[in-house]
Amino acid sequence: MFTNLRLWANILLGMGIAIVIAVTALTVASLRHLDGVVSTAEQATLRQYAGIIKVNIDHETRTAQTLSALVANIPEIRQHFAAGDRAWLQDQLLPAYKVLEQDYGAVQFQFHTPPATSFLRLHKPEKYGDDLSGFRHSVVTANTQLKPQRGLEVGVADLGARGMVPVFEQGRHLGSVEFGMSFGPTFFAAFKENYGVDAALHVMRDGVLTTFAGTRGEQPLLDPEAIQAAFAGTPQSRNVLIDGRPLAVYAEVVHDYSGAPLGVVEVAMDRSESLAALNHTTRLAWFAGGLMMLLGLIIALVTARTLARRIGLVAAGVNRVAAGDLSGQIVLSGRDELAELAQVANQMRQRLHDLVAQVGSHSGAVDGAAREIARSVDSQAAISSQMSASVAEITSTMEELSASSSQIAEYSGSVVEIARRTYDDSLQGADAMQQLVVRMEEIRQDNQHSLKEIVDLGGKSKEISKIMQIIDTVADQTKLIAFNAALEASSAGEAGKRFGVVAAEIRRLADSVTESTGEIAKKVGEIQESIGRLVITSEKGALGIEQGMNDSSRTAAFLQDLVQAASETTSSAQQISLSTQQQRTASNQVVVALREIVTASSDTAQSVRHISQVTQEMTRLSADLKFQVDRFTLDETARDTVHTGA
């Protein structure tokens, strides 16, 4: 949209939009701030009124406590209270109470005995002796803690502003005296009459907030959620509309004599005057904003037209330069940015004038130089083509050599791998043979140990033969003794029969021992023959083992020589492989270099051809440049000549 309008219209439109936005934003922000200030002021005022109500309540309770303290410190009253003289107290204090009730708002005056038993009610003399401890906790507290108490508390006669003081006589606690001041609809009606603000007190009863007294009916002005929040300790402030009348309402918690939440005090004030003043201020603000917008648009229009006219002068001068007329000055009076732009444009015209003059003088020289370059480039192109062909042939030869080097390197790698495996296998064979030699040594030692044990076993078997001979001798002696015993038994007659049986058994046992020793001797003989054969066999095995150890040692030495030879072979193969790898690398590098030379030669030839084309194009352009330069008018005389000829 802005590209299709004149510059002055764009400036006017942009500045107008900015002025409208700025004035509108400032007006709206100011009005919102003003509305916030009004609301804050109303809340502060209502908070003060709520504080005044609390101060008045405190004043009432302090008055009640003062009256109680006055009565509690009269000596005659303390004496008759101590004596339980209810009639005297009634006669003396009832006239005074009537005056306090009529002129000063006292609604309660009574004495209590601990903890909270009514001793005398001056406001109801006929009723006394009842226990109040179940609901008059302030009386119990005063008689228990022996300290004065004052504040709001719910009693038989509903909520009251009370003050009570303990009574003492000669250091003995007698009870307490209490005054209750007028606190109800008359209290809030007097408050509205004095301050012109509606007020109410909502008391919590069995978990439900009910209206105790107020100047606007029996229902709270705020919703139940706001009342509950205020009772919880968070002050609430709202703007509501009641019967078509705007009100500002504030509510906060009220505490009883002990500091516990008792209810919510609610104050409300009419917002009609505030809203009327706010609406009047709003109209004035919008009217002033409209005037400011109109004045701003007029200033923007004048400014835009002036700027457009000055820009037009600069544009006319630039158009002459664009048409090729470099002889005239671009003049614009003033010291603003447009004047600076005119000066810069004039400097540009002058530099362009000098440039065109220089280009005109040098274009001929450029044309001649371009032709010389074209001839030189053609000869260079032919030489580059010949060199590229020669380098291509050398590259083909080196590629074949590189391929051969690669094959040799691969074969050398195979040889190295075979030599390495041979070396590894030789090492493994040498290790295995060394282990075999160790095993053969262990077998030889075991065989020597076995041979020694076999020889020892032969000696032991010979000792067994000796023992068997001793056993045979003992058996023969036993048989001889048994024979003698049998003879003695037979000569003994009937008395020696039993002894003869024993002698016969001993002889039979001796015969059995003789037979057994014969068999054992036979077996021992067989064992000795076997041991002899085993000794011969072990000696032959020891000779074989010794011979095997000698052969294994010679084999191990041969394998060690083989390992040394394999190691030398592996080193030589690695040196050969390294040399062939280096040769292959060198060949590849030469091939790469030749390929780069071929590429460079080809690029050079192509560049030379491109330079030739560029030179030809430059020759054509230099001629065209001279033609274009001739179109510019560099002085007024030439311009007048051109115009006259036209």
Side-chain angles (χ1 to χ4, degrees):
M1 177 179 69
F2 293 100
T3 58
N4 297 325
L5 298 177
R6 301 295 295 174
L7 180 60
W8 68 269
N10 279 326
I11 295 174
L12 178 61
L13 185 58
M15 293 181 66
I17 293 174
I19 291 171
V20 170
I21 293 174
V23 172
T24 303
L26 288 174
T27 303
V28 172
S30 299
L31 292 176
R32 287 187 178 178
H33 179 68
L34 181 60
D35 183 65
V37 169
V38 171
S39 298
T40 303
E42 291 175 345
Q43 293 176 13
T45 303
L46 291 175
R47 192 178 299 110
Q48 291 178 356
Y49 286 141
I52 290 172
I53 291 176
K54 288 186 174 181
V55 169
N56 290 341
I57 294 174
D58 185 72
H59 174 72
E60 293 293 328
T61 58
R62 188 177 296 277
T63 300
Q65 183 179 352
T66 302
L67 293 174
S68 298
L70 177 63
V71 173
N73 288 281
I74 297 175
E76 293 182 350
I77 294 177
R78 293 202 306 264
Q79 293 172 3
H80 287 281
F81 187 23
D85 192 352
R86 185 180 296 107
W88 187 90
L89 292 174
Q90 181 176 341
D91 291 339
Q92 296 297 320
L93 298 177
L94 186 57
Y97 168 69
K98 294 298 183 181
V99 175
L100 294 175
E101 181 181 21
Q102 182 177 355
D103 297 336
Y104 298 98
V107 295
Q108 287 183 337
F109 180 19
Q110 60 180 323
F111 290 83
H112 314 97
T113 57
T117 302
S118 177
F119 177 76
L120 173 62
R121 287 185 175 92
L122 275 304
H123 54 284
K124 290 183 180 180
E126 71 281 357
K127 186 176 181 181
Y128 58 86
D130 50 328
D131 187 5
L132 309 179
S133 58
F135 56 91
R136 291 300 313 279
H137 303 291
S138 61
V139 179
V140 177
T141 302
N143 288 322
T144 302
Q145 298 182 0
L146 303 181
K147 294 181 180 180
Q149 302 291 325
R150 65 185 179 90
L152 298 178
E153 186 183 23
V154 178
V156 177
D158 211 338
L159 183 65
R162 300 182 173 89
M164 58 216 65
V165 176
V167 180
F168 297 91
E169 173 63 19
Q170 296 180 357
R172 183 169 65 92
H173 177 232
L174 304 178
S176 59
V177 59
E178 173 189 7
F179 271 89
M181 305 307 293
S182 176
F183 183 72
T186 55
F187 176 86
F188 292 98
F191 178 81
K192 182 176 181 181
E193 183 178 355
N194 292 330
Y195 298 99
V197 177
D198 288 309
L201 178 62
H202 310 289
V203 180
M204 179 65 74
R205 299 177 188 274
D206 298 327
V208 179
L209 281 172
T210 59
T211 302
F212 167 70
T215 59
R216 288 192 62 88
E218 298 295 329
Q219 295 296 327
L221 298 177
L222 297 178
D223 56 85
E225 290 77 9
I227 296 294
Q228 289 289 345
F231 182 76
T234 304
Q236 301 293 311
S237 179
R238 299 283 191 279
N239 293 328
V240 299
L241 189 65
I242 304 297
D243 298 332
R245 184 180 175 189
L247 297 176
V249 184
Y250 175 81
E252 66 178 31
V253 66
V254 175
H255 300 89
D256 63 5
Y257 76 98
S258 63
L262 175 67
V264 174
V265 61
E266 185 180 54
V267 291
M269 61 183 296
D270 193 352
R271 301 187 70 231
S272 299
E273 294 182 1
S274 299
L275 292 179
L278 183 61
N279 291 332
H280 179 68
T281 304
T282 302
R283 288 192 296 271
L284 288 178
W286 283 115
F287 179 73
L291 289 179
M292 292 175 62
M293 284 189 285
L294 181 59
L295 181 60
L297 291 174
I298 293 173
I299 295 173
L301 177 60
V302 173
T303 303
R305 298 290 290 182
T306 302
L307 291 175
R309 184 169 59 254
R310 291 172 62 80
I311 292 172
L313 294 175
V314 177
V318 174
N319 285 331
R320 288 198 304 272
V321 174
D325 186 1
L326 304 177
S327 60
Q329 296 284 334
I330 302 174
V331 181
L332 185 65
S333 61
R335 291 183 296 179
D336 59 355
E337 287 81 358
L338 291 177
E340 294 177 357
L341 177 61
Q343 293 177 3
V344 172
N346 195 50
Q347 293 175 2
M348 180 189 67
R349 179 203 63 79
Q350 185 62 42
R351 292 178 181 176
L352 184 60
H353 179 281
D354 297 339
L355 178 62
V356 170
Q358 291 178 1
V359 171
S361 62
H362 296 321
S363 60
V366 171
D367 183 63
R371 296 180 185 277
E372 291 294 331
I373 292 172
R375 287 194 294 270
S376 301
V377 166
D378 290 338
S379 62
Q380 184 68 30
I383 295 172
S384 297
S385 298
Q386 293 176 0
M387 184 177 68
S388 178
S390 300
V391 172
E393 294 179 358
I394 296 173
T395 303
S396 299
T397 304
M398 288 304 300
E399 287 178 349
E400 294 178 357
L401 179 61
S402 177
S404 301
S405 299
S406 298
Q407 291 179 354
I408 293 172
E410 292 176 358
Y411 293 151
S412 299
S414 300
V415 171
V416 170
E417 180 64 23
I418 294 171
R420 186 185 62 78
R421 287 200 300 269
T422 303
Y423 177 67
D424 293 340
D425 293 341
S426 300
L427 286 177
Q428 293 178 0
D431 292 339
M433 182 54 66
Q434 189 66 32
Q435 293 177 2
L436 177 61
V437 171
V438 173
R439 299 298 182 197
M440 291 295 294
E441 178 64 22
E442 292 176 355
I443 293 171
R444 185 183 67 80
Q445 292 177 359
D446 293 341
N447 185 66
Q448 291 292 334
H449 184 67
S450 299
L451 181 60
K452 181 180 179 182
E453 289 182 352
I454 291 170
V455 172
D456 292 340
L457 181 62
K460 295 291 176 49
S461 62
K462 291 180 180 180
E463 293 178 359
I464 293 172
S465 299
K466 292 179 181 180
I467 293 171
M468 294 306 300
Q469 290 176 3
I470 293 172
I471 293 173
D472 287 338
T473 304
V474 171
D476 290 339
Q477 292 294 329
T478 302
K479 286 192 290 182
L480 181 60
I481 292 171
F483 178 74
N484 292 329
L487 291 178
E488 292 294 332
S490 60
S491 63
E494 187 66 27
K497 286 183 178 181
R498 295 182 179 180
F499 188 71
V501 173
V502 174
E505 290 298 326
I506 292 173
R507 184 176 181 180
R508 191 165 45 252
L509 179 60
D511 291 337
S512 298
V513 170
T514 301
E515 292 176 0
S516 298
T517 53
E519 292 178 359
I520 290 173
K522 183 178 179 182
K523 296 296 181 180
V524 169
E526 293 176 357
I527 289 172
Q528 288 178 350
E529 291 177 359
S530 298
I531 289 173
R533 289 194 301 270
L534 186 59
V535 169
I536 295 172
T537 304
S538 298
E539 290 177 352
K540 290 182 179 180
L543 292 176
I545 290 172
E546 189 69 29
Q547 208 167 25
M549 285 186 62
N550 294 331
D551 294 339
S552 297
S553 299
R554 287 194 298 273
T555 304
F558 173 73
L559 286 175
Q560 191 65 33
D561 294 338
L562 181 61
V563 168
Q564 183 65 29
S567 176
E568 295 176 356
T569 302
T570 302
S571 300
S572 300
Q574 289 177 348
Q575 292 294 328
I576 295 171
S577 176
L578 179 61
S579 299
T580 55
Q581 290 289 341
Q582 292 176 350
Q583 181 181 2
R584 182 177 64 178
T585 302
S587 300
N588 290 334
Q589 291 177 350
V590 172
V591 171
V592 170
L594 290 173
R595 287 176 179 172
E596 292 178 351
I597 293 173
V598 170
T599 303
S601 300
S602 178
D603 293 341
T604 302
Q606 186 176 0
S607 298
V608 169
R609 288 193 295 271
H610 182 65
I611 292 172
S612 177
Q613 295 175 358
V614 171
T615 305
Q616 295 174 2
E617 181 66 17
M618 188 171 65
T619 303
R620 184 184 66 79
L621 291 176
S622 63
D624 185 64
L625 177 62
K626 190 174 185 311
F627 172 75
Q628 296 294 335
V629 169
D630 291 339
R631 295 176 58 190
F632 285 94
T633 303
L634 301 181
D635 54 45
E636 296 181 356
T637 303
R639 181 185 63 186
D640 294 340
T641 302
V642 172
H643 290 172
T644 303

